[in-house]
Amino acid sequence: MYSKYYQSLVKKDKTWFISGILKSEENLVLSRTIDKQLGLLEYFVSPEQEEKFLKVMDYFIKEGIVSELQEKENRLKTEEV
């Protein structure tokens, strides 16, 4: 079973903050920076943690730190790793 997969844009000066908060919540999400210049991050989310993840991200969106959160096809299903 694959994780749920999301991408978002994050204010460049807050990327470290978002990563730190998400890492502090054990087993919530694996986040990685895809494009540092754009502030594009990807998130691999356990289906069991998706609701909690979306609540956290909703807060960041309301605060103007995160934008364009999109669920996408998990890239690990289609790319050679």
Side-chain angles (χ1 to χ4, degrees):
M1 177 177 219
Y2 285 89
S3 299
K4 297 284 191 154
Y5 182 76
Y6 289 85
Q7 289 184 358
S8 75
L9 293 177
V10 176
K11 286 187 172 182
K12 287 186 246 179
D13 64 334
K14 298 293 184 189
T15 303
W16 65 271
F17 176 74
I18 297 295
S19 295
I21 294 293
L22 294 175
K23 285 179 184 176
S24 73
E25 289 292 321
E26 191 171 332
N27 299 319
L28 177 63
V29 62
L30 169 67
S31 63
R32 295 177 22 157
T33 303
I34 296 176
D35 187 322
K36 187 176 180 178
Q37 298 301 319
L38 291 176
L40 181 62
L41 273 66
E42 67 179 351
Y43 312 93
F44 296 91
V45 184
S46 166
E48 296 83 25
Q49 296 287 2
E50 185 176 25
E51 184 177 342
K52 186 175 181 180
F53 167 75
L54 291 173
K55 285 181 182 179
V56 171
M57 296 307 284
D58 186 52
Y59 173 79
F60 291 142
I61 290 167
K62 288 178 181 172
E63 292 296 314
I65 300 170
V66 171
S67 63
E68 300 185 36
L69 178 67
Q70 297 179 350
E71 182 176 8
K72 297 187 171 204
E73 180 71 24
N74 189 322
R75 69 179 181 80
L76 297 179
K77 289 181 180 180
T78 56
E79 292 181 12
E80 288 188 34
V81 180

